[in-house]
Amino acid sequence: MTPKIFVSALAAAKLPSVFNPWRDRCSIHDRRDAAARRRSNLQAMLEAALDAHVETIWIARDLGYRGGRRTGVPLTDEVHLTHASALMGGIALERATQGPEIAERTAAIVWQVLGRIGQPVMLWNVFPFHPHDADDPMSNRCHSRAEREETWPLLQALVSMVQPKRIVAIGRDAHLALAGLETEVTAIRHPSYGGQREFIEGMFDLYGISDDDSQTPELPLSPRYAAAASSALA
């Protein structure tokens, strides 16, 4: 499967009380071509991940309404689109919404850590869309088992396409849901609900980064630093 075919498969999915950012348009916040912009963003991320031969996929549970729902890039809010662009080699990523940029706390912590790691990774969610309450499209809820089973082939297709050496499950729910995958899955505490310090420490330990290491790589990475960061997971 190619990134273009994968994104097209995502865009074809339609479920009740679920916002599909690569298909749907929010009448309040989105530009007219928002879904197309988000498809372009995700395809660019996937192509860059394959070109970089990323070794790791970070997978959380669901898309949040302040992050991937708006950008089309999982675990990434509008404030950090430029960070995602730089980490993946300077790819073009566009805002799909109108008005001021919206920040998401989880995305801020994730990108703080990625800035220290300095290694391209693929970001994803067990359930790739934004599940919400039936009467509140801007709410967050946990996806159901039926919803996960219906979209599981998409996750399998992503893993098959990227072929990572390791999957990092962000949070207990994601870890339990990913138990059926053949690829090695490492669990890290989710940064929300008081888990920020454990998340950062867990990721730093996984990548061999000292907590008092003040060196933060500039993005995009130089070949020297990229090679050093890549060796951390070897």
Side-chain angles (χ1 to χ4, degrees):
M1 181 174 286
T2 66
K4 184 176 182 179
I5 293 174
F6 179 77
V7 173
S8 294
L10 276 175
K14 185 172 179 61
L15 298 167
S17 298
V18 168
F19 185 89
N20 178 344
W22 304 286
R23 172 194 178 102
D24 301 331
R25 177 180 178 271
C26 173
S27 60
I28 300 173
H29 301 293
D30 279 351
R31 301 173 188 264
R32 288 188 176 183
D33 60 346
R37 288 180 182 231
R38 288 189 284 258
R39 289 195 298 271
S40 177
N41 285 350
L42 181 59
Q43 184 173 329
M45 287 289 291
L46 284 166
E47 290 171 347
L50 295 182
D51 288 344
H53 303 288
V54 298
E55 297 183 347
T56 309
I57 305 178
W58 292 10
I59 303 180
R61 193 187 69 192
D62 313 297
L63 277 185
Y65 76 94
R66 298 174 67 92
R69 171 189 166 114
R70 296 173 66 94
T71 65
V73 181
L75 293 167
T76 305
D77 58 12
E78 291 165 339
V79 174
H80 293 90
L81 269 182
T82 54
H83 295 67
S85 171
L87 186 66
M88 303 308 287
I91 59 175
L93 299 175
E94 294 185 298
R95 278 194 62 190
T97 58
Q98 307 175 87
E101 292 181 341
I102 299 297
E104 182 188 64
R105 180 170 177 78
T106 294
I109 299 169
V110 164
W111 280 99
Q112 174 189 342
V113 171
L114 281 171
R116 289 288 299 276
I117 291 172
Q119 177 180 340
V121 302
M122 187 65 209
L123 303 172
W124 201 245
N125 295 94
V126 173
F127 185 68
F129 310 123
H130 170 229
H132 56 79
D133 295 334
D135 58 349
D136 186 1
M138 297 304 168
S139 61
N140 286 327
R141 67 169 173 85
C142 178
H143 68 268
S144 68
R145 181 172 182 176
E147 288 170 332
R148 181 168 72 247
E149 290 176 349
E150 187 162 350
T151 58
W152 189 255
L154 292 168
L155 176 60
Q156 291 177 311
L158 176 73
V159 173
S160 177
M161 179 169 51
V162 176
Q163 297 185 355
K165 293 182 179 179
R166 186 201 308 267
I167 290 174
V168 177
I170 300 178
R172 181 175 179 272
D173 289 346
H175 187 220
L176 291 174
L178 296 171
L181 293 177
E182 295 181 0
T183 307
E184 175 190 354
V185 178
T186 300
I188 298 291
R189 170 75 187 266
H190 195 283
S192 65
Y193 301 107
Q196 176 176 339
R197 173 47 53 187
E198 288 182 54
F199 172 79
I200 293 173
E201 290 176 349
M203 285 297 189
F204 281 6
D205 182 62
L206 186 64
Y207 283 84
I209 296 175
S210 172
D211 196 23
D212 59 0
D213 183 359
S214 61
Q215 183 180 15
T216 301
E218 295 183 1
L219 302 176
L221 300 175
S222 68
R224 176 188 65 81
Y225 201 103
S230 180
S231 67
L233 281 180

